[in-house]
Structures are given as structure tokens and as C-alpha cells.
Amino acid sequence: MTSPKRILLLLVLFAGLGLGFYIQQGLESRSPTLSIRIAVSQTPLSTPFYVAQAQGYFADHGIEVELLPYVGGHRCFNALIQGEADLATTSDSVIMFNSFGDKQFSILASFVESDNDIKIVSAPDQHLRDARELRGKRIGIIHNSSSEFFLHTLLLIHGVPAETITLVSLRPDQMVAALDAGEIDAAALWEPFAQEAAQLSSHGQPILNSRGIYTLSFNLITMQDQATAQLEAHRRVIAALNDATRFIAVNPARSQRIIATQLQRDPHKIGHGWDDYLFKLSLSNSLITTLEHEARWALNNKRVAQQSMPNYRALFDERALIATDATASQIQ
């Protein structure tokens, strides 16, 4: 007859073997950790990426992410094209300018919109109050970006002929110094540089009212061949960004502190324009409409060499977004 001690020993042994098998099965079924590099524009628009990193959402979804900071979505786009990054954040205008040519890239998702991120800031000695006063002025722009298209739209709405102004192409990080030195009379630039430039003035509000004139979107893009090769990595990134946008909606103050730390800005100044941003993952027909509108402007003004409208629907790759949220894409 088997002793109680032997029975207990056998039970412990079988339990140990079962636990070991269970752990091994769990390890084998767990998805391997993937890694990816993302070129991220240094703007409050990029908040979801830094929130996802700070809150551990990338790690939660099994993706190791290296966030590569660049000043402007146009530079992020170039980093992607040159192979320095696997994904990039960029505006709709940068996408439009680069859609004319042989650059084979795909749009995976939009993650934020704003109708007041880009602003016209007057130089300290100009005291401009109305867009019509831009006639005859030297205006700083970031070439081939949303800055340039925004300025065009503003001039058109206010009846200021483009030939009556002088465009000065600068980097966004050069604008503030150029305004302060009197090298330009005004600048079309995005946050956080717009608020930094506004602080130069001691004569009231130097920012011209232009809210609602142009709704900018920031988008996540990749090269077309990588859209398939890195599909699972892209799905995990977008899932983490989805968590981040939910966090931002519930915790705006904490989100502002996270991006303020990254941008080395005062959180209160980041918070000043926070309501201008709508953080949400999506792809929609309205983005196609915006791109086509911008492309017609570029064609009519001979800003691009190609003479035919790109097929923007063909640039969209919805697979990673739909795998995260089947309702997020409204593309038809």
C-alpha cells in the first residue's frame, strides 16, 4: 500500500511538471518583441507618441520603439525616405508635396487634427493686426510644408495677391531669431515656435487671427514595401497610440507635462493652446479631399513639376489601423 508521504510526493511532482509545462506553453505562445524607429516631429501634435512611451503602452503591446526627434514633419519625411526611420509623422501638406514623384510611401493613420496650430506671427516692430496688412511684407515660411500652404490659403481668403509679398524660406527653428532681428516682417509657423515668437512682442497680441482657415492633420507614414514587411510592428504601434489617445482625453494635464518635458517648454504654455488639438486615430475621405485641394493649388501655381493629380486613395494602407479598430477607417 502506498504511503501517504509517497502520494504527497507524487502529487507535488506532477504539479511541478504541470506548472512547468504551462509556463513553457505561455512563453512559446507569447508574441516576440519587435523593434521599430519612428521619426517624430517636435511639436505638441506628436503628444500620443511620447505619452505611449512614458506610460509603457509600446512595451505593453510588445514593441520596442526608438523615437527619433526632428524639427518639422518635412524632416521626418526625409528621414523616412533616407532609411533613417521605419515610420514618420508628417502633415498632410508634406504628404501632398511629396506625392508628386517616385517616392513610394503609404499613409497608415491620422492621429491628430488642429485648425489653429499654424499661425501668422508679426515681428515686434510691425504691429500687424490684419492679414491684409501682409501686403508688401517679407514673410517667413517653411518651404514645402503646411506653413507654405496655410499662408497661401490665408492670402487668398483676404484678397492679398501672392505677388505682393516676399517669401523667405527658413527652418522653423530659425524663425524666432529672424523675427527678432527684423529680417522678416511676419512668419507662418507652427507650435511651439509660434508662442515662442509671440513672446518677442511687448505690444499686445502679435498673432493674427486665423483660426479655422486651415485644418491640419498629422499622419503616420511608412514606405510601401515596409507596410507589408512590418505590418505586425505597425499594428502594435497603432494599438499603443490608440491607448495613448484615450489617456490624453482623460488626463490632459499629465499629457501636457509629458510633451512639455520632451519639447523643453513650460507646461502652462503648452496648455494654453491644448484645446486646439483633437487626438484621435482615423483615416477618412476628408483627408483625400484635403490632399486633392492642396494638389490643385500646387499644380495651378507650378509648385510641382508633375502635371497630373496623384491617386491619393492608392496611398492609404488601412490594414494596421483596422486591425486595431475596425471603425477607425472611413475610406471608401
Side-chain angles (χ1 to χ4, degrees):
M1 186 173 179
T2 305
S3 68
K5 185 178 290 186
R6 178 172 291 183
I7 291 173
L8 180 61
L9 182 62
L10 288 172
L11 288 173
V12 170
L13 178 62
F14 283 124
L17 289 172
L19 179 61
F21 176 78
Y22 175 80
I23 292 174
Q24 182 64 28
Q25 286 293 101
L27 290 173
E28 290 177 354
S29 63
R30 184 182 297 171
S31 299
T33 299
L34 302 176
S35 61
I36 203 162
R37 303 164 300 165
I38 309 178
V40 182
S41 181
Q42 296 303 279
T43 161
L45 295 165
S46 298
T47 298
F49 292 85
Y50 291 103
V51 165
Q53 186 181 60
Q55 296 301 117
Y57 296 141
F58 290 131
D60 290 346
H61 289 280
I63 183 82
E64 292 181 354
V65 172
E66 182 182 6
L67 299 180
L68 307 174
Y70 289 87
V71 180
H74 57 307
R75 289 187 170 183
C76 292
F77 189 98
N78 290 337
L80 175 70
I81 296 297
Q82 293 166 10
E84 298 170 5
D86 305 300
L87 293 167
T89 66
T90 198
S91 70
D92 47 89
S93 294
V94 172
I95 288 173
M96 179 277 293
F97 277 116
N98 286 278
S99 66
F100 291 93
D102 58 357
K103 301 180 182 70
Q104 302 299 310
F105 63 93
S106 294
I107 306 168
L108 304 182
S110 297
F111 54 87
V112 64
E113 291 183 353
S114 175
D115 69 350
N116 197 39
D117 183 64
I118 306 177
K119 302 175 177 70
I120 298 292
V121 184
S122 169
D125 63 343
Q126 290 295 314
H127 318 307
L128 302 177
R129 294 294 180 268
D130 188 280
R132 288 168 291 188
E133 296 177 14
L134 295 174
R135 187 187 297 262
K137 302 299 183 181
R138 301 161 299 166
I139 306 177
I141 60 161
I142 299 96
H143 192 58
N144 283 1
S145 75
S146 53
S147 163
E148 183 176 1
F149 180 74
F150 165 76
L151 176 62
H152 152 78
T153 303
L154 182 73
L155 297 176
L156 185 66
I157 289 173
H158 290 277
V160 180
E163 60 270 19
T164 65
I165 65 169
T166 300
L167 296 179
V168 181
S169 181
L170 296 167
R171 298 196 313 263
D173 53 338
Q174 295 175 322
M175 292 283 196
V176 176
L179 284 166
D180 195 31
E183 296 169 1
I184 53 177
D185 303 309
L189 71 169
W190 50 70
E191 297 295 357
F193 299 104
Q195 285 298 326
E196 184 178 343
Q199 293 171 22
L200 297 174
S201 177
S202 60
H203 301 282
Q205 179 55 264
I207 297 177
L208 276 66
N209 181 21
S210 55
R211 180 186 296 274
I213 285 179
Y214 165 55
T215 298
L216 169 149
S217 72
F218 239 54
N219 311 277
L220 186 64
I221 63 171
T222 190
M223 300 306 293
Q224 282 185 2
D225 57 348
Q226 294 303 310
T228 295
Q230 295 186 320
L231 178 58
E232 177 58 20
H234 297 165
R235 184 196 67 76
R236 297 185 192 188
V237 167
I238 289 176
L241 293 177
N242 196 38
D243 292 343
T245 57
R246 291 172 180 170
F247 178 91
I248 292 168
V250 177
N251 303 281
R254 288 175 63 187
S255 302
Q256 290 163 31
R257 288 195 294 271
I258 289 171
I259 191 62
T261 298
Q262 172 60 34
L263 301 180
Q264 298 182 338
R265 294 298 196 280
D266 183 341
H268 296 292
K269 292 176 181 174
I270 295 291
H272 178 75
W274 194 253
D275 290 342
D276 293 336
Y277 304 119
L278 174 62
F279 295 101
K280 181 181 179 181
L281 286 174
S282 66
L283 281 177
S284 67
N285 290 319
S286 64
L287 179 54
I288 296 178
T289 301
T290 296
L291 291 168
E292 290 177 343
H293 174 63
E294 293 171 345
R296 279 191 287 272
W297 164 77
L299 288 165
N300 292 338
N301 289 273
K302 298 181 172 53
R303 291 290 292 103
V304 291
Q306 184 178 322
Q307 293 303 307
S308 59
M309 176 75 70
N311 178 4
Y312 287 111
R313 178 63 183 86
L315 293 182
F316 287 78
D317 192 315
E318 308 155 86
R319 291 175 293 171
L321 179 61
I322 290 176
T324 297
D325 182 353
T327 66
S329 177
Q330 304 297 321
I331 299 293
Q332 296 177 355

